[in-house]
Amino acid sequence: MSLDRLAPAVFVLLWSTGWVVAKYASLHSEPFTFLSIRYALSAAAFLALCLVVQAQWPSRGTALRAVYSGFFLHGFYLAGLWWAIANGVPAGISGIIAALQPLLTAIAAPFLIGERLQQAQKLGLALGFIGIAIAISPKLLDPATADLTHAALPLAINLVAMASVTYGTLYQKKYLQSGDLRTIATLQYIGALILTLPLSLIFEHQHFDGAAQAYGALAWSVFGLSMGGVGLLLYLIRRGQVSRAASLIYLMPPVVALEAFIAFGEPLTLPLIVGTVVVVTGVYLTNRKAFSEHRPAEA
């Protein structure tokens, strides 16, 4: 089976573990500090890989674009998301905000990169968002999430983080369509580190307790998420429509819920099951080969 067929499923499986890792990491380290260590090690790991395979480095202009895209695609996105959750944004609300990314990507893509979706793909994106809303509706109806006035600033930061990763994804598609993805990823993590390291030094105490769980979360973050998951995401963006790649984000909450059921025994609710079916249908419509892509051009 080709990488093109395997990549989406492997990406979803890898990327979904990020929420579990974040839960463990938050118990042992401050968010900006953990992300700074993760980005530094990820850049070093990719650099070592580039040196071993003698990957070709991009021109100065492309290198600067890679650093710039990493600032938004990795740095601001995860920094904003982790900070928002740590400061009062419920996971259910954050999930809805994350689910806005594919829709925002589809809306912005025609203007920024000239990418247009067919009607079936638009329907798929809408279904994906509806499925997410159904799946996490019990959390949204929880009285604990009813009053979010105390989290106005974290909510705003969460929204900006979502917009940041959307912009970074579109920028990647427009300006980084050529060159070795391994060298580009190295430079992107340097861009992410440029953001998170000053935030850690200014607002935190660089706490990292060195527990086994902390090192385990860090190792998986670097090799499983930063190298595996992000590497596949960059590959998917380059190989296909950016809206199709973004639509895979819809699959994250249901997959995370299944992982939590297996690992921690958290119940699978009826809304989650129904919502997952709707999400899978939406992602299928968004990612399937459009009929017009296969029929011969008219004379």
Side-chain angles (χ1 to χ4, degrees):
M1 187 177 293
S2 68
L3 180 59
D4 284 352
R5 291 182 178 274
L6 282 174
V10 176
F11 166 72
V12 171
L13 182 62
L14 290 176
W15 201 249
S16 65
T17 63
W19 297 93
V20 178
V21 169
K23 179 178 179 179
Y24 283 120
S26 66
L27 301 175
H28 304 282
S29 178
E30 294 168 299
F32 298 150
T33 297
F34 185 89
L35 289 174
S36 295
I37 299 172
R38 170 182 168 177
Y39 292 149
L41 292 178
S42 297
F46 266 112
L47 176 60
L49 177 62
C50 292
L51 294 175
V52 169
V53 302
Q54 297 183 334
Q56 184 176 2
W57 289 88
S59 65
R60 181 179 179 182
T62 301
L64 290 175
R65 290 190 179 99
V67 172
Y68 177 79
S69 68
F71 185 91
F72 295 96
L73 188 61
H74 307 312
F76 203 108
Y77 169 53
L78 285 183
L81 180 65
W82 281 37
W83 185 88
I85 292 176
N87 285 273
V89 175
I93 299 296
S94 183
I96 280 286
I97 293 174
L100 290 172
Q101 185 201 340
L103 291 176
L104 184 60
T105 300
I107 292 171
F111 301 99
L112 296 181
I113 60 175
E115 178 180 287
R116 299 187 181 279
L117 300 181
Q118 297 190 356
Q119 291 301 319
Q121 292 177 300
K122 294 178 181 178
L123 175 61
L125 287 169
L127 281 176
F129 180 75
I130 292 171
I132 290 296
I134 295 173
I136 67 173
S137 58
K139 293 182 180 180
L140 295 179
L141 297 175
D142 191 324
T145 68
D147 182 14
L148 290 174
T149 55
H150 65 285
L153 179 58
L155 275 171
I157 296 298
N158 203 152
L159 284 166
V160 173
M162 183 273 298
S164 173
V165 71
T166 301
Y167 172 71
T169 301
L170 291 169
Y171 188 91
Q172 167 87 20
K173 179 68 175 181
K174 185 173 183 179
Y175 293 108
L176 297 170
Q177 275 296 92
S178 61
D180 194 305
L181 285 176
R182 292 162 295 195
T183 57
I184 288 175
T186 304
L187 295 166
Q188 285 181 326
Y189 282 118
I190 292 174
L193 183 62
I194 289 174
L195 173 71
T196 56
L197 183 58
L199 291 176
S200 171
L201 295 174
I202 294 172
F203 297 107
E204 296 179 346
H205 299 90
Q206 294 76 58
H207 171 68
F208 183 87
D209 64 13
Q213 280 190 337
Y215 282 114
L218 185 60
W220 181 251
S221 293
V222 172
F223 297 105
L225 294 172
S226 293
M227 297 195 75
V230 172
L232 283 172
L233 176 61
L234 299 182
Y235 175 82
L236 289 167
I237 292 172
R238 178 170 292 184
R239 293 289 292 176
Q241 283 185 313
V242 69
S243 298
R244 287 177 176 173
S247 73
L248 296 173
I249 301 300
Y250 282 145
L251 293 172
M252 297 306 164
V255 174
V256 172
L258 181 60
E259 291 171 353
F261 170 72
I262 295 172
F264 309 117
E266 295 184 8
L268 295 175
T269 64
L270 180 60
L272 176 64
I273 296 172
V274 173
T276 299
V277 173
V278 177
V279 165
V280 171
T281 302
V283 173
Y284 168 75
L285 290 174
T286 306
N287 285 274
R288 72 174 182 172
K289 294 289 186 179
F291 175 70
S292 63
E293 292 176 349
H294 295 285
R295 69 185 182 188
E298 297 179 357

